[in-house]
Amino acid sequence: MKSFKIIALLVAAVTIATSCSKYLDVVPDNVKKLENIYANKEEAYNALAKVYNYLPDDDWSDGSMALLGDESVSRVDPDWLREGGRVRAERIMRGLQTTGDPMLGTWTGSNAGKPLYEAIRTCNIFLQYVDGIRNLTDDEKKDWTAQVAFFKAYYHFLLMRQYGPIIISDKVIEPDALSDELFQKRNKVEDVFDYILDLMDKHIGNLPEQRKDADLGMIDRVGALAIKARILVYRASPFFSGNREFYDDFLDPSDGQKFFDVNATEEQTREKWGKAIATLNEAITLAFSQGKRLYTSDRDKRYVRDSSYFRLNPVKMRQLYDLRFVVTEPWNKELLWGRSNVSFDDWRIADVYSLRLPEEYSGGSDLTERSGYSRQIQSVSYQMLERYYTKNGLPMDEDATFNYTGRNDLYLTPLATDPDFAGLEGIMQPNAEVINQYMNREMRFYANLCITGGYAREHYTTFPTSMLATFPGGWKSNRGDGGREFLATGIGAQKMTHPESQSDHNWRVVRYPWPIIRLADLYLMKAEALNEYKSAPDQEVWDAINVVRERACIPKVEVVYNDAGIVKSAALGKHRNKQGMRDIILRERAIEFAFEGLHFWDMWRYKKAHRNFSTAIQGWNYKATAASDFFVLTMVQPRKFFIKDYLWPIPLNELNTNGAITQNPGW
């Protein structure tokens, strides 16, 4: 797998000493040594690598923000639940966040969070010394400067996304600085947005349009423009623009002014959406010019066990393969920017979702039921299961052809010889006892999930799954782990694990860059921004979302929502009003980016998180051995998410150090 060369240099990257105040840009005492670090190109390259090393560890389950939200749940045994070092994101969703040592805290880097003020300090020092680097060409200097300036802006954005008003850290502060420079106040949110975007605008043009080969993973103009577009979408979203509901009384104690732009008018917010549209169009045009496209499987990956399925069901199997590899095919044409410094720990996102290889499909290997790099503990919530569309591209409760009230009733799939089984080869098993809602769903449902009566494509093979106890994928009390590693909801995910990935040793694992942003995100953000900008949705809005829907093999939105024979009367024409189209777009995003960490932030942007994420995670009865007992909806884990949780708490030590800042509301 391709991997950009910065990874190899991370171990040699410089360590910048921290000051008594963890977030301030104070020059370390060993400033003379810093001059040596930037003495030549080779040494400075190590410092450039250090800048990349502060990207969040979203591919590592215990420190990943991708597990925020309601898409999945981890182990539920008491020992695991008490262990504070595991799956911090899930602990936050359970209402266990603290002010003393905030989980996934990026202000100081607490509890598995990356220290982003330290990251910004590293950027500032690099930018201060870059002009003095010997044997660096002018083009290289422009490129390196632009990369670091981009990260300086991006890290400010990530901080603001968690903390709201933050301290803009624009320059290195000398050790003999006065207290006013050392202990700064938080800046208004709009001022931070202006700072971030101005910094990006100054430097994005100096980045190469696209990285190649060994430099994959280094930020380029395609990725930077895409991130800028995302930032503009955040700025226009209800959380940041006009959020009087949450933050009308969140005031800067130094001047009594509001930290958030709570007084933004409808026209001012519309102007923000307009700026987002302009950058989205620019980013899509550039990406397209560089050969970026939505992913389709462009090489033959028909595993031996899928050959017959391709012969019997070629259209749907090709659709499934196009969707199965969207994230896991390394550096594919849809990925605009990814984090290539992936963890070699066996608690990566891919590993905790991965099903173990059943004995009967091991091919005589010794990998059967091995837990290393195939943990089989991160299960999919019932909420996520229901979120996927029907085959008609509609929510189950809006599809007139779908038996919604009987969706969890038992259903026996046809025999392989039955004509009704046509179109199910390789998708569902014949003569399998399942439920109605496992049938007639969109292809992303079958490509992304591991369900009873379906198939898993992992470990270089395809094997049928039955999540009932003692069956492949199900709970087993006699397993070597004491029966503790299992799917607590009886629903699995295969989307985030490469089909060729195996267990037991890290050299068997297929690694891929964590997707920070891909082309589908630009299209769906464009649909969202256009919908919010216009007085009512039109063909331009529908065209943007349809690009993604067509790859998912579901009908165009304006076609299906106009079809009275398919859509229920209450949803007929839903796509023609702003609120209805907004709901459609957010649902599309929730499905397309399932398990990639975007759904939480989408609900956060629209101030829906405290309503949607305080519902208990539900799943099936995983200890049952019969379908009639298994498909019983059960509460798996209670969840609590309050309005105060939208912003992370600032660590108490920081408040004690700097009297110019106050705690976030509710903490």
Side-chain angles (χ1 to χ4, degrees), residues 68-274:
L68 293 167
D70 67 349
E71 296 171 321
S72 67
V73 64
S74 186
R75 275 169 47 174
V76 292
D77 57 280
D79 290 342
W80 180 270
L81 292 175
R82 283 192 294 267
E83 190 174 344
R86 293 296 185 189
V87 198
R88 275 85 164 186
E90 188 173 298
R91 293 177 65 81
I92 291 173
M93 303 313 297
R94 290 165 55 206
L96 301 178
Q97 182 64 284
T98 67
T99 56
D101 187 25
M103 286 173 281
L104 303 180
T106 56
W107 194 283
T108 60
S110 61
N111 218 328
K114 288 297 184 75
L116 294 187
Y117 272 115
E118 179 182 309
I120 293 169
R121 178 168 59 249
T122 303
C123 293
N124 283 334
I125 293 173
F126 185 99
L127 295 172
Q128 176 174 297
Y129 283 89
V130 67
D131 286 336
I133 300 173
R134 296 195 299 272
N135 66 320
L136 196 64
T137 68
D138 289 343
D139 287 343
E140 287 172 330
K141 185 177 295 185
K142 283 183 180 180
D143 181 14
W144 290 20
T145 299
Q147 289 182 62
V148 174
F150 167 83
F151 273 100
K152 180 178 174 179
Y154 185 56
Y155 290 145
H156 273 90
F157 167 69
L158 293 182
L159 278 164
M160 182 173 60
R161 189 174 66 168
Q162 282 185 256
Y163 298 98
I166 60 170
I167 299 170
I168 293 176
S169 181
D170 186 49
K171 62 181 181 179
V172 175
I173 297 176
E174 301 299 332
D176 59 351
L178 299 176
S179 60
D180 286 348
E181 289 184 84
L182 290 171
F183 304 114
Q184 299 176 31
K185 66 172 188 169
R186 299 165 78 177
N187 295 92
K188 309 296 192 300
V189 166
E190 282 297 293
D191 292 337
V192 180
F193 270 120
D194 285 339
Y195 174 79
I196 291 169
L197 294 167
D198 287 346
L199 190 57
M200 286 189 169
D201 286 342
K202 288 176 183 176
H203 295 279
I204 284 178
N206 289 330
L207 291 168
E209 291 182 333
Q210 187 177 185
R211 304 285 179 181
K212 303 287 187 180
D213 302 322
D215 289 336
L216 288 169
M218 297 172 75
I219 191 65
D220 54 27
R221 201 180 309 170
V222 169
L225 266 178
I227 292 296
K228 180 189 172 186
R230 175 181 283 174
I231 292 170
L232 285 164
V233 166
Y234 269 73
R235 186 179 200 174
S237 297
F239 182 83
F240 281 115
S241 189
N243 190 356
R244 188 182 296 275
E245 178 187 5
F246 288 2
Y247 301 122
D248 191 43
D249 57 354
F250 187 21
L251 307 178
D252 183 344
S254 69
D255 60 13
Q257 299 299 307
K258 300 177 190 299
F259 273 123
F260 279 78
D261 188 16
V262 299
N263 295 320
T265 65
E266 183 176 332
E267 185 56 35
Q268 287 171 331
T269 299
R270 183 173 179 272
E271 183 181 344
K272 293 176 185 178
W273 285 116

Side-chain angles (χ1 to χ4, degrees), residues 138 239 252 303 354 382 428 469 507 596 609 619:
D138 289 343
F239 182 83
D252 183 344
Y303 301 114
S354 177
Y382 180 79
M428 294 295 291
W507 57 268
E596 296 178 48

Side-chain angles (χ1 to χ4, degrees), residues 645-663:
D645 293 311
Y646 281 82
L647 296 181
W648 265 245
I650 296 175
L652 292 179
N653 284 342
E654 294 302 296
L655 297 175
N656 293 334
T657 301
N658 183 2
I661 59 176
T662 56
Q663 185 58 279

